Structure formats: structure tokens, C-alpha cells
Amino acid sequence: MANNTYDAIVIGSGISGGWAAKELTEKGLKVLMLERGRDIEHVKDYVNAHKEAWDYPHRDLATQEMKEDYPVLSRDYPLNESTFGMWANEKESPYVEEKPFNWFRGYHVGGRSLLWGRQSYRLNPEDFMANEKEGIAVDWPVRYEDVAPWYDYVEKFAGISGSRDGLDVLPDGHFMPPIPLNVVEKDVSARIKKAFKGSRHLIHSRAANITQPMNDIRVGCQFRNKCWLGCPFGGYFSTQSSTLPAAVKTGNLTVRPFSIVTQVLYDKDKKRATGVEIIDAETNQTYEFKSKIVFVNASALNSAWVLMNSATDVWDGGLGSSSGELGHNVMDHHFRVGASAIVEGFDDKYYSGRRPAGFYIPRFRNWGGDNRDYVRGFGYQGSASREGWRRNIAELGLGADLKDAMSEPGTWQIGMTAFGEMLPDHRNRISLNHKVKDKWGLPVLAMDVTIRENEMRMRKDMKQDAIDMFEAAGLKNVQGYDGEYRPGMGIHEMGTARMGRDPKTSVLNKHNQVWDAPNVFVTDGAFMTSASCVNPSLTYMAMTARAADFAVKELKKGNI
């Protein structure tokens, strides 16, 4: 092998892994980025990007064979012909459900940055303090002021469309012009604002879809709403369209696909990582790569797997387990609850294009003097259209709902689903199951995660408040719903290696360093100390850039 020694190794190539590679290479480090799945080249490998439903043999529906081979994916929207092959093979990479858990994984270069919903919001100052104030889990070791400059930094590079709304619950950022609200959404927004005397706000979504050209790779969103197929126009932020080209440009990046990291190598005398061990997914050969620092960005659950499978000769629970918290405190955002309604008076109105996002209603519960019988809160995502509204919410927008096209415009409909905060709870955990093995003979994860009383009480408001807002706006045929939710369905896994102020109660310090190995950084969803109720990916980006900056400075000082 030509080279097995680098300045830094990045495990994973998704949203946070791509950012780690970009930041570290641009700061002069020679970086190896390891991806367990296949390579996907920008544009060339987006094989379905220009197809319509009628171009697929089964009109983009899941076949019976697909359902049999992918029983987990078949529970929800991801299983279809257009994205087939973009999700992990469940036979090769199984897992154990001690409690029902939907794990939707993307094992390829770019990971779920090619498949994500692109909603991009900042946590607010209260989000970083709520655990301490309420005596829940542990306190974040950082505050909003520590992260705000990095939110600024990543928003400018990623390209976030949105409006500056001046809301303390949802901090403004650096935005391109927003994806427009349509005429009905504007009208309903005004009605809600009037009915609730300005205490509730229906605003533009803030999405990582650019509305202005950025460069020759990212020429702008074309309003095709085919983001999950890969965008040849670079219309949305992904590893392939954004961070990977920047890293490659430096000449400092090596990307190795089909590389399953089995462990972080650890020197117990120096108390430092020395590199990683991998299995080549195609040849089953084992290799070691050496580095000065390691960034673990395999996604929250797989990052915990890597740590739990590392340094087991020192700690039974793996690298970072000395606190007893590694693998615990799993969080997601619970959703699939809200309302729909008919909007009258706009039958002569229509719109052009297929927007990749709709509207957002920020959190208003347990905020500004409001107190409920639960803690934290929720926000809503939705849209109005003369088609199935669910297509504008990425987590609901594929499958049968996408296919219900009508030959002529029908009645205007509006709908929204709430995304609620899930509290960190030590009982919600993942662990290694050594009795069940994957294709490569490696132990698999066992999931023991459920929503609990606080979330169940919250869901009642998530449904009723949606009904109340639509009724207060004078809409017709208002229907609330509470669909089946299982942890994992939000695809916002968080918390398995949480940050904290004390090595006795957390896995990572305020710089995302593993307390037990300060040259190992974890900057994907695993680090989250609490979940907020907003989509978390923008926070992963900001914290990754922040940690990379710190890591390089410490490396130059000789501290790690």
C-alpha cells in the first residue's frame, strides 16, 4: 500500500465527515477520509436525477421483492425505485431491535448528505441551557455565543435560503433569499399571526437549497424537488457538491471507499489514538492506517459502534466508555403528528415549479411565559398546494404520496407535521450484540430506545395545536392525525457520545474531544447533549468546523 500514514483520519463522508475533511485539508493537513460504502461521483453517478415516475418499471413503487429484502425501509417512505441502492443493505448490515427502531442508513460517499431533508436551523441560546435549568441529563459545555461564529461560517459556505424573522426562539443567520411561500401560505400566515396576536409565526423554511448561484458546481436550485436523487446542479448542500470539491482542491485529501473501520487504535501508555483498523469491504483484507488525530463522523449510532469496539483491552465498554455514558442517551425527533385542512377562496390561483421546501412554524410551547405539563417544545413543517402536501417534507415526501398526481388542479390543501424534542435519557441506549454478526463477521448494534412520558404528553399538544391554528385561521375540514412513530424515523439520531463538563458524566469535552483520548474528536450527532426541536445538521456542521479549528491549533502546539 503506497501510504498508510496521514496527519488526520476522518471516519465517514456524510455531512460532518465532509466538513471535517474540508477544514482539516484547508488547514494544511494530509487527510484520509474513510467510507464504508461505494463511491458516488457528483453528477455522473446520479443515475435517476432526471427520471420521472413513469420512467421506472413499477412507477417508483416498492416491489414485493424489495419489501422482503428491506423490511425496515419498507416501514416508511425510503423504499422505492428512485432511491433504491442508496440505503444500507439490511441483509449485509443487520441490527437487533430490543425495542422497535427504524434505522435508515446511507452507506456510500456522501452518506445521507445526498438524502437529507435540508432543513437548516440554529439552536437558540435557551437550547444550550435547558438541561442545566431543568436538571435533565448534563449541562452543555458550550453556550450559543461559543457556537454562533461557527454558525455564521458554515451558513455562508453551505448556502442557506431563508428569511430573517427576528425571533428569539429561532436565531437569524446568513441567508440567501428564501424559497417563496405560495399565495395560500402567505394568507394563512397572516391569519395565524392575527388570531394569536403575533405569538405564533408561519415563516419561510430555512433550507440548504441555494437560491443564487455560488460557483460552477453549485449553479442554483432548479425547483425540481428531486433532491434525494442527487442534484446535478448542486442546488443543495451535499458532500459531493460542496465540501468534497473544496477538500480535493487542496491536494491534501485521499478518499478510500469500501473501508469499514473496525476500531480506533489506542496506545494505552501515551493515552492517545494512533490510527484506525479497517476491513476492506470488497476483499475482506484488514489494514491499519496511522494518524496524529482521528475525527469520528460515521453518524451517531455507527460512531458509537466504532468507539465501543475500540480499546476494549483497556475499557470493557470501549474507548470513551469510562463515564458509563457511551451508547446511552439516544435521541431523535418524534413527529408524524399534526393536521391538514382545506383552504377556500383560491381556486383561481396556482404556482409554477416544485419547491424543495415549504413553511416552518417555530416553537411556541414552554416559551415566553407559556408553561405546559411537559418540558421543551416542537415546531411544524408543512406546505399548501393543490397536490399532496406531504411531498414538501422530506421525511414524508416519497412513496405513495408522491405518486398521487392529479391531471387537473383540485382543492387547495394545507398540512403540517410537528417535530418534537426528545429528552436525553440514560435508559435509551444502544449496545454491541456479539451473537449477531454482519456480512464481515462484526458484531451489530442492539437498539433499546423508546419515547417516554414527556414526549407522549407533548404529542397531544403537537396534534391539538395544529388543529387549533388551522381552525383559528378559518380553514375548513380540519383533520388532526397522530401516525405511528418509532424512534429513528426522524433520521436525526443523536446523543450516543454526549459532550459535557465532567469526564465522569460525559464522553466528550467542550471541544468534542474524547476525554480518554484527546486526539480523537467526535462531531456528528453523537456529541449532542440535548436535541432541541429543530433539525440538527447545521449544528453538526458548525461544531465540526469549530472542532477542526481547535484540533489543528492544538496539533501545532504539540498538545495532541
Side-chain angles (χ1 to χ4, degrees), residues 41 155 243 281 290 293 413 416 458 473 490 560:
E41 186 177 329
E155 284 168 343
T243 49
K290 303 296 184 179
I293 57 176
Q413 297 179 334
M416 59 188 182
M458 186 187 295
I560 57 174

Side-chain angles (χ1 to χ4, degrees), residues 208-511:
N209 289 78
I210 58 174
T211 53
Q212 296 173 332
M214 292 187 72
N215 50 50
D216 58 354
I217 297 177
R218 302 193 66 191
V219 299
C221 179
Q222 306 296 303
F223 282 36
R224 305 186 317 138
N225 195 30
K226 294 179 178 291
C227 310
W228 55 92
L229 306 179
C231 182
F233 309 95
Y236 69 93
F237 172 89
S238 69
T239 296
Q240 274 84 342
S241 70
S242 304
T243 49
L244 185 57
V248 169
K249 185 178 179 180
T250 67
N252 292 328
L253 181 68
T254 300
V255 181
R256 193 183 197 280
F258 295 113
S259 302
I260 302 172
V261 176
T262 57
Q263 62 176 309
V264 175
L265 302 172
Y266 180 76
D267 186 322
K268 59 185 176 183
D269 295 321
K270 296 181 180 179
K271 297 182 179 180
R272 297 289 190 273
T274 60
V276 303
E277 177 188 86
I278 73 158
I279 290 178
D280 187 296
E282 294 183 300
T283 67
N284 290 331
Q285 294 293 310
T286 299
Y287 300 98
E288 290 185 359
F289 295 97
K290 303 296 184 179
S291 67
K292 299 171 184 175
I293 57 176
V294 177
F295 267 67
V296 185
N297 299 96
S299 82
L301 304 186
N302 276 325
S303 287
W305 184 99
V306 170
L307 294 176
M308 288 189 288
N309 207 51
S310 303
T312 53
D313 59 329
V314 182
W315 299 277
D316 289 341
L319 181 62
S321 67
S322 60
S323 65
E325 296 298 333
L326 180 63
H328 292 266
N329 311 296
V330 177
M331 297 172 286
D332 187 25
H333 287 129
H334 61 107
F335 73 124
R336 295 171 65 96
V337 55
S340 62
I342 300 298
V343 186
E344 297 179 336
F346 292 89
D347 287 352
D348 61 337
K349 305 294 183 183
Y350 202 64
Y351 48 85
S352 61
R354 299 173 180 174
R355 298 174 306 163
F359 63 75
Y360 188 68
I361 297 179
R363 172 184 168 184
F364 51 82
R365 286 302 182 199
N366 290 318
W367 194 267
D370 177 79
N371 293 294
R372 314 300 292 172
D373 64 348
Y374 54 86
V375 297
R376 314 295 168 91
F378 49 88
Y380 292 95
Q381 296 178 35
S383 71
S385 69
R386 301 188 80 164
E387 297 178 327
W389 61 272
R390 292 170 181 244
R391 68 178 177 82
N392 281 326
I393 301 173
E395 290 83 357
L396 298 175
L398 298 182
D401 289 324
L402 186 64
K403 321 306 182 299
D404 292 336
M406 293 177 283
S407 60
E408 296 180 4
T411 304
W412 275 94
Q413 297 179 334
I414 189 169
M416 59 188 182
T417 189
F419 286 76
E421 179 164 358
M422 184 174 174
L423 294 179
D425 190 306
H426 183 81
R427 294 170 294 177
N428 285 335
R429 66 186 294 258
I430 58 174
S431 59
L432 295 185
N433 185 313
H434 291 275
K435 295 180 180 179
V436 180
K437 302 294 179 68
D438 66 12
K439 177 184 176 181
W440 298 272
L442 299 170
V444 305
L445 283 177
M447 316 299 194
D448 184 4
V449 183
T450 187
I451 58 173
R452 301 183 187 274
E453 291 182 10
N454 196 72
E455 290 82 32
M456 296 305 294
R457 288 195 293 267
M458 186 187 295
R459 290 181 75 80
K460 295 177 183 178
D461 272 3
M462 292 162 73
K463 177 180 177 180
Q464 191 59 49
D465 285 346
I467 294 171
D468 291 347
M469 280 188 282
F470 283 166
E471 288 183 342
L475 309 187
K476 305 300 182 183
N477 193 29
V478 178
Q479 301 287 330
Y481 72 94
D482 186 347
E484 180 187 15
Y485 166 79
R486 296 181 180 187
M489 294 179 85
I491 323 183
H492 296 167
E493 310 98 274
M494 296 170 274
T496 55
R498 71 183 180 193
M499 300 175 75
R501 299 178 182 272
D502 187 340
K504 295 180 180 179
T505 59
S506 57
V507 180
L508 311 173
N509 70 9
K510 65 180 180 180
H511 298 295

Side-chain angles (χ1 to χ4, degrees), residues 180-195 200-204 342-347 349 355 359 384 412 414 469-470 472-476:
L181 297 176
N182 61 40
V183 63
V184 167
E185 292 164 352
K186 291 177 181 178
D187 182 71
V188 173
S189 175
R191 295 191 204 183
I192 289 175
K193 183 176 183 180
K194 181 179 180 181
R200 302 185 189 182
H201 307 270
L202 189 158
I203 64 174
H204 299 88
I342 300 298
V343 186
E344 297 179 336
F346 292 89
D347 287 352
K349 305 294 183 183
R355 298 174 306 163
F359 63 75
W412 275 94
I414 189 169
M469 280 188 282
F470 283 166
L475 309 187
K476 305 300 182 183

Side-chain angles (χ1 to χ4, degrees), residues 112 115-120 207-209 356-357 381 393-395 492 535:
R112 289 179 301 192
L115 298 159
W116 68 309
R118 306 168 309 285
Q119 296 289 295
S120 301
N209 289 78
Q381 296 178 35
I393 301 173
E395 290 83 357
H492 296 167
N535 300 55

